[in-house]
């Protein structure tokens, strides 16, 4: 059968210690075989973030690739750019990027399973994206902290304390984006530890949309958040990707956080993202996230 023939060219090259692999043997401009689709899904769960190089996809090909991982969904508040159905545009505004650690859209209960990001315009320097493994972060916790995390619930909202505020007074365009982003306010309570539906791994669900910990004072919640979040963002627990033309990055949004350093001055940086529908997280006791 053709199975051996197809899979012998499919290679996952590990490029980070805790997460990250470059996948070879995939041309996402073409229709993918079932073997290729299975390979992509398997390696995504295993490596948490996978990279496909020299793809040069258009919007339609990007959407088709996203369907390999699930059902593409719209951002709940931001409209897609003209001519696309599901795309979320990440365009630098006055040198700004999403320079704070987060998991995409965790203010929704069923936040995305995965995000598929492609580079359109890369600045001459900087403009990398960094991912962190939230499962190894959980594993690294000492037992008493694991027990605390297992029992804790965090409140996530799109009306969070963003560092965009620093620039709001000066930059109208950033204010307009912020206004659209919060045109409808969502608040969701997620367990601090979720069980991955495919791998069974436990991982921390935190990041910049967290506005509090259920039952804790703001002071205590901030202190605890910082302790847990530091395990996630420890440098050894991350991988940095230096974008090249045509690159695509796909991450498991259930077991990672990411960060885009604003280190490219006023240069243009433009990427497009499509997210695919996720499930509602389940904690270690089988309890689900919920809206408030
Ligand atoms: Fe993001």
């Amino acid at each position: 059968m053709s199975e051996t023939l197809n899979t012998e060219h499919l290679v996952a090259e590990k490029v980070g210690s805790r997460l990250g692999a470059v996948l070879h043997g995939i041309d996402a401009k073409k229709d993918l075989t079932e073997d290729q689709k299975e390979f992509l899904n398997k390696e995504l769960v295993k490596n948490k973030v996978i990279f496909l190089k020299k793809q040069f996809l258009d919007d339609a090909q990007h959407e088709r690739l996203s369907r390999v991982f699930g059902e593409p969904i719209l951002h709940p508040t931001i409209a897609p750019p003209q001519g696309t159905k599901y795309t979320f545009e990440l365009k630098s505004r006055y040198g700004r990027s999403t320079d704070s650690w987060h998991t995409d859209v965790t203010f929704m209960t069923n936040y995305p399973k995965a995000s598929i990001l492609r580079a359109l315009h890369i600045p001459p320097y900087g403009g990398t994206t960094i991912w962190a493994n939230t499962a190894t972060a959980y594993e690294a916790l000492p037992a008493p902290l694991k027990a605390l995390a297992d029992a804790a619930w965090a409140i996530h909202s799109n009306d969070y304390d963003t560092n965009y505020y620093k620039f709001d007074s000066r930059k109208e365009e950033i204010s307009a984006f912020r206004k659209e982003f919060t045109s409808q306010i969502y608040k969701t309570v997620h367990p601090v530890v979720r069980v991955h539906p495919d791998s069974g791994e436990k991982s921390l669900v935190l990041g910049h949309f967290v506005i509090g910990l259920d039952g804790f004072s703001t002071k205590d919640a901030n202190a605890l958040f910082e302790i847990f979040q530091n395990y996630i963002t420890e440098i050894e627990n991350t991988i940095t990707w230096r974008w090249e033309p045509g690159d695509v990055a796909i991450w498991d949004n259930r077991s990672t956080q990411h960060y885009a350093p604003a280190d490219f001055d006023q240069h243009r940086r433009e990427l497009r993202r499509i997210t695919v529908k996720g499930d509602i997280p389940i904690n270690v006791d089988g309890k689900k996230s919920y809206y408030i």
Side-chain angles (χ1 to χ4, degrees):
M1 285 289 287
S2 61
E3 201 183 331
T4 325
L5 200 69
N6 284 340
T7 51
E8 72 182 10
H9 301 294
L10 297 175
V11 175
E13 179 196 350
K14 197 170 155 70
V15 290
S17 157
R18 309 258 178 101
L19 75 168
V22 170
L23 301 195
H24 302 279
I26 301 282
D27 178 356
K29 279 196 288 297
K30 295 179 182 160
D31 264 332
L32 299 178
T33 64
E34 290 308 310
D35 282 346
Q36 288 175 317
K37 290 178 187 175
E38 195 188 320
F39 174 70
L40 282 165
N41 276 290
K42 196 183 87 199
E43 294 299 332
L44 177 67
V45 172
K46 186 176 162 193
N47 297 289
K48 316 287 197 287
V49 56
I50 53 176
F51 305 101
L52 303 174
K53 300 187 71 160
K54 296 189 169 53
Q55 299 292 315
F56 301 101
L57 304 183
D58 61 24
D59 287 319
Q61 290 161 341
H62 188 172
E63 186 187 318
R64 190 174 59 175
L65 175 62
S66 74
R67 289 185 188 279
V68 168
F69 303 96
E71 183 193 332
I73 45 168
L74 271 172
H75 190 277
T77 57
I78 305 285
Q82 240 182 356
T84 77
K85 266 190 287 183
Y86 301 105
T87 307
F88 183 84
E89 196 164 48
L90 293 103
K91 224 177 189 176
S92 58
R93 292 169 172 81
Y94 307 97
R96 302 293 296 163
S97 58
T98 311
D99 57 343
S100 62
W101 282 101
H102 66 287
T103 296
D104 286 335
V105 202
T106 58
F107 48 87
M108 307 291 287
T109 50
N110 58 338
Y111 65 86
K113 165 190 170 180
S115 292
I116 298 94
L117 182 65
R118 81 183 209 270
L120 271 77
H121 198 93
I122 301 153
Y125 53 84
T128 58
T129 304
I130 311 174
W131 284 268
N133 185 334
T134 54
T136 47
Y138 174 79
E139 277 314 314
L141 296 173
L145 275 182
K146 269 187 184 156
L148 173 54
D150 284 347
W153 293 75
I155 303 133
H156 297 237
S157 176
N158 53 332
D159 192 17
Y160 64 105
D161 184 15
T162 164
N163 50 10
Y164 277 117
Y165 282 130
K166 287 188 288 192
F167 293 81
D168 275 0
S169 55
R170 291 195 290 122
K171 306 294 184 193
E172 276 178 18
E173 197 188 335
I174 292 171
S175 289
F177 178 81
R178 169 83 193 163
K179 209 172 161 190
E180 192 183 355
F181 196 82
T182 55
S183 55
Q184 188 178 343
I185 305 289
Y186 294 93
K187 276 186 186 169
T188 290
V189 186
H190 287 300
V192 169
V193 178
R194 75 174 289 182
V195 179
H196 196 287
D198 298 333
S199 67
E201 276 183 318
K202 292 180 191 174
S203 65
L204 294 170
V205 186
L206 291 166
H208 73 191
F209 293 117
V210 171
I211 58 166
L213 286 182
D214 195 24
F216 289 88
S217 68
T218 306
K219 185 166 160 268
D220 288 353
N222 286 346
L224 285 169
F225 175 84
E226 191 150 338
I227 289 171
F228 290 127
Q229 190 67 26
N230 282 344
Y231 277 84
I232 296 167
T233 62
E234 191 178 53
I235 290 172
E236 289 79 2
N237 196 49
T238 69
I239 182 166
T240 300
W241 187 252
R242 192 162 293 280
W243 292 93
E244 283 181 25
D247 284 356
V248 177
I250 304 155
W251 61 93
D252 188 332
N253 200 48
R254 302 162 296 186
S255 53
T256 55
Q257 282 189 21
H258 54 281
Y259 181 110
D263 58 355
F264 45 91
D265 298 319
Q266 302 297 310
H267 291 291
R268 189 172 151 212
R269 179 181 187 267
E270 205 179 319
L271 302 105
R272 285 189 171 188
R273 184 186 88 194
I274 296 180
T275 55
V276 297
K277 197 176 172 185
D279 53 348
I280 300 176
I282 289 173
N283 86 341
V284 295
D285 300 319
K287 291 185 185 131
K288 283 187 172 185
S289 304
Y290 56 93
Y291 283 117
I292 47 170

